[in-house]
C-alpha cells in the first residue's frame, strides 16, 4: 500500500505540473514532447509516444516520443483498425491495456514494437468534443507492467493534453479566420471562455484524483498523507477560482484577456475558505481594487490560502473557541508596491514552532510561502502585535 500511495502521489504532482504547463500556450511540438516525457516518468517506462490521427491517410503518425531509435518519430505509421492496439483505442474511445502482445490472438505486432523489444502496451485516446485527435501510448519491455492506476493516470494526462490541443487548434483557427479587429476581439473572447471552461474541467479531474488518494489515505488511517492531500486539494481550488476570474478589467485599460481582478478573486477564495472552515473562523476582508497577470494573482491566492489555513489551525485550533482572521490588501501604483496582510487575534504561535509542526505533519508551508514570495519578487514580514499573529507579503505592483 505504501508503494501504491507513493506512486499515486507522483501521479498527482505530474498532473498538477502538466496542468499548469498546458495553460502556458506552448506550441504543439513542445507540448506533445512534454506530455510523452511525463507519461514515461509516471509509468516508469523507457518508451512512450503520442500519435496523431490522419483521416486523409487513414493512419496514426508518431508526432513525439521518448526512447525510440532514429527514424521512428515523425515517420512511423500505425494502423487505425481494431487489430492494432492504438487503432482499437482510437475506434472504441477506451483505454487498451495489453499485458503481453507476443502471440496475442486479438492484436498484431507492429515491426517498430517488435524491434524495440516491447511486450506490454497501454493506449488511451486523445479526444476533445466530437474530434478524435490521436492516441497516447506507454510501452514496456516487461510483461504485465501496467496497472489500473497507470491507466487512470494516462487517461487524465490525455484529457489535459486534449484540452490544451483544443485551445491551440481554436486559436490557430481564429487567427486564420479573423480578418477584422472587431471579429478578432470577439473570437478571442469566445476562445478565452472556452479555455476557462476546459481549464476548470481539467483542474476538476486533478482534484478528483487527489480526493481519491485522500480517501485511500483515510481508509489506511494515514493522517499525514490525508492532511497533505487536503492541502493540495485546497491549492487546486485556489487555482481554479483564479481561472474563473480571468477576464478583461473594466475601465482599467487592461482588456487583453490575461489579467485577473485580484480583489474579486480573493473575495471568492476567502468565501470558499470560510465555508471549508465550517463557520468556526470568520474571515473579514478589506481589499483594494487592483489587477494582476494571471500567474501572479494565483501566487497571491496561494499565499492567502496558506496564511488563512495556518491561522485557523494554529490561532484557533479545533476544540477551542473560534475567532476572526483579517485579510487586508493595499495596492499603491504611485509607490509601485502592494501589501497583503493576514492577521488574527488568537493565541498565536512562534513561527519556528509553526514550521516544526508543519514539517512533522508532512506539510511544507514555510517553504511554499518563501517560494511564492520569490516568484512575486517580494518578501514576507512577520509583525509583532500585542495579541495574535500578523504576516505581511510585500511585492511589486505596477499597473
Amino acid at each position: 500500500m505504501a508503494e501504491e500511495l507513493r506512486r499515486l502521489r507522483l501521479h498527482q504532482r505530474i498532473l498538477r505540473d502538466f496542468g499548469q504547463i498546458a495553460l502556458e500556450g506552448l506550441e504543439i511540438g513542445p507540448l506533445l514532447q512534454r506530455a510523452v516525457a511525463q507519461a514515461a516518468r509516471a509509468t516508469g517506462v523507457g518508451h512512450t509516444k503520442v500519435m496523431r490521427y490522419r483521416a486523409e491517410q487513414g493512419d496514426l503518425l508518431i508526432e513525439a516520443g521518448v526512447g525510440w531509435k532514429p527514424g521512428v518519430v515523425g515517420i512511423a505509421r500505425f494502423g487505425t483498425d481494431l487489430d492494432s492496439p492504438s487503432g482499437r483505442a482510437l475506434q472504441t474511445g477506451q483505454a487498451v491495456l495489453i499485458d503481453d502482445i507476443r502471440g496475442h490472438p486479438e492484436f498484431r505486432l507492429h515491426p517498430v514494437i517488435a524491434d524495440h523489444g516491447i511486450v506490454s502496451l497501454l493506449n488511451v485516446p486523445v479526444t476533445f468534443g466530437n474530434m478524435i485527435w490521436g492516441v497516447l501510448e506507454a510501452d514496456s519491455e516487461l510483461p504485465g507492467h501496467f496497472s489500473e492506476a497507470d491507466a487512470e493516470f494516462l487517461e487524465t494526462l490525455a484529457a489535459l493534453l486534449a484540452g490544451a490541443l483544443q485551445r491551440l487548434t481554436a486559436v490557430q483557427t481564429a487567427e486564420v479566420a479573423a480578418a477584422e479587429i472587431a471579429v478578432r476581439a470577439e473570437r478571442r473572447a469566445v476562445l478565452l471562455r472556452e479555455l476557462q471552461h476546459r481549464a476548470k474541467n481539467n483542474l476538476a479531474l486533478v482534484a478528483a484524483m487527489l480526493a481519491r488518494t485522500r480517501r485511500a489515505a483515510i481508509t489506511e488511517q494515514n493522517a499525514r498523507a490525508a492532511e497533505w492531500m487536503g492541502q493540495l486539494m485546497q491549492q487546486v481550488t485556489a487555482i481554479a477560482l483564479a481561472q474563473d476570474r480571468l477576464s478583461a478589467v473594466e475601465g482599467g485599460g487592461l482588456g487583453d484577456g490575461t489579467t485577473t481582478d485580484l480583489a474579486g478573486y480573493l473575495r471568492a477564495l476567502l468565501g470558499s475558505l470560510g465555508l471549508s472552515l465550517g463557520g468556526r473562523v470568520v474571515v473579514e476582508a478589506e481589499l483594494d481594487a487592483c489587477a494582476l497577470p494571471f500567474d501572479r494573482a494565483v501566487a497571491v491566492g496561494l499565499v492567502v490560502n496558506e496564511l488563512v489555513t495556518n491561522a485557523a489551525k494554529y490561532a484557533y485550533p479545533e476544540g477551542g473557541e473560534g475567532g476572526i482572521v483579517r485579510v487586508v490588501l493595499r495596492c499603491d501604483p504611485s509607490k509601485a508596491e502592494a501589501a497583503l496582510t493576514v492577521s488574527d487575534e488568537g493565541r498565536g504561535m512562534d513561527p519556528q514552532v509553526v514550521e516544526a509542526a508543519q514539517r512533522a505533519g508532512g506539510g511544507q508551508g514555510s517553504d511554499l510561502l518563501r517560494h511564492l514570495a520569490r516568484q512575486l519578487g517580494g518578501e514576507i514580514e512577520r509583525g509583532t502585535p500585542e495579541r495574535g499573529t500578523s504576516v505581511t507579503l510585500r511585492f511589486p505592483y505596477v499597473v
Side-chain angles (χ1 to χ4, degrees), residues 8 14 26 38 51 92 116 134 149 201 208 212 214 227 229 241 243 261 285 307 332-333 340 384-385:
L8 285 173
I14 291 175
L26 294 176
Q38 295 300 338
M51 296 166 282
T92 64
H116 287 78
N201 287 346
R212 181 171 62 83
R214 187 187 186 192
E227 180 180 358
M229 289 298 165
L241 287 171
Q243 187 66 37
D261 170 15
L307 292 177
D332 189 343
L340 172 75
T384 55

Side-chain angles (χ1 to χ4, degrees), residues 285-340:
E286 189 176 341
L287 309 172
D288 284 354
C290 57
L292 285 181
F294 174 76
D295 57 340
R296 291 172 62 80
V298 169
V300 175
L302 291 175
V303 169
V304 170
N305 182 81
E306 188 71 22
L307 292 177
V308 172
T309 302
N310 283 349
K313 181 176 181 180
Y314 298 110
Y316 308 115
E318 291 187 8
E321 295 183 357
I324 297 174
V325 176
R326 291 185 176 85
V327 180
V328 178
L329 174 67
R330 294 285 179 255
C331 300
D332 189 343
S334 65
K335 294 182 180 179
E337 182 182 79
L340 172 75

Side-chain angles (χ1 to χ4, degrees), residues 329-375:
L329 174 67
R330 294 285 179 255
C331 300
D332 189 343
S334 65
K335 294 182 180 179
E337 182 182 79
L340 172 75
T341 300
V342 178
S343 59
D344 62 72
E345 298 176 352
R347 67 182 188 181
M349 182 179 282
D350 184 277
Q352 294 180 350
V353 177
V354 174
E355 184 169 355
Q358 290 172 334
R359 291 187 184 280
Q364 299 180 6
S366 297
D367 289 342
L368 175 63
L369 288 175
R370 285 191 289 267
H371 171 76
L372 293 169
R374 286 194 299 269
Q375 182 178 330

Side-chain angles (χ1 to χ4, degrees), residues 169-224:
T169 301
V171 169
Q172 291 173 352
T173 302
E175 289 177 347
V176 171
E180 300 178 0
I181 294 179
V183 175
R184 287 199 301 268
E186 177 60 22
R187 196 172 290 270
R188 182 182 180 87
V190 172
L191 292 174
L192 281 171
R193 286 194 295 271
E194 177 66 18
L195 169 59
Q196 286 176 256
H197 176 71
R198 291 291 174 178
K200 188 72 176 289
N201 287 346
N202 293 339
L203 289 168
L205 283 170
V206 177
M209 292 194 71
L210 288 172
R212 181 171 62 83
T213 305
R214 187 187 186 192
R215 287 195 299 272
I218 292 173
T219 301
E220 294 297 318
Q221 297 183 343
N222 190 333
R224 178 180 300 181

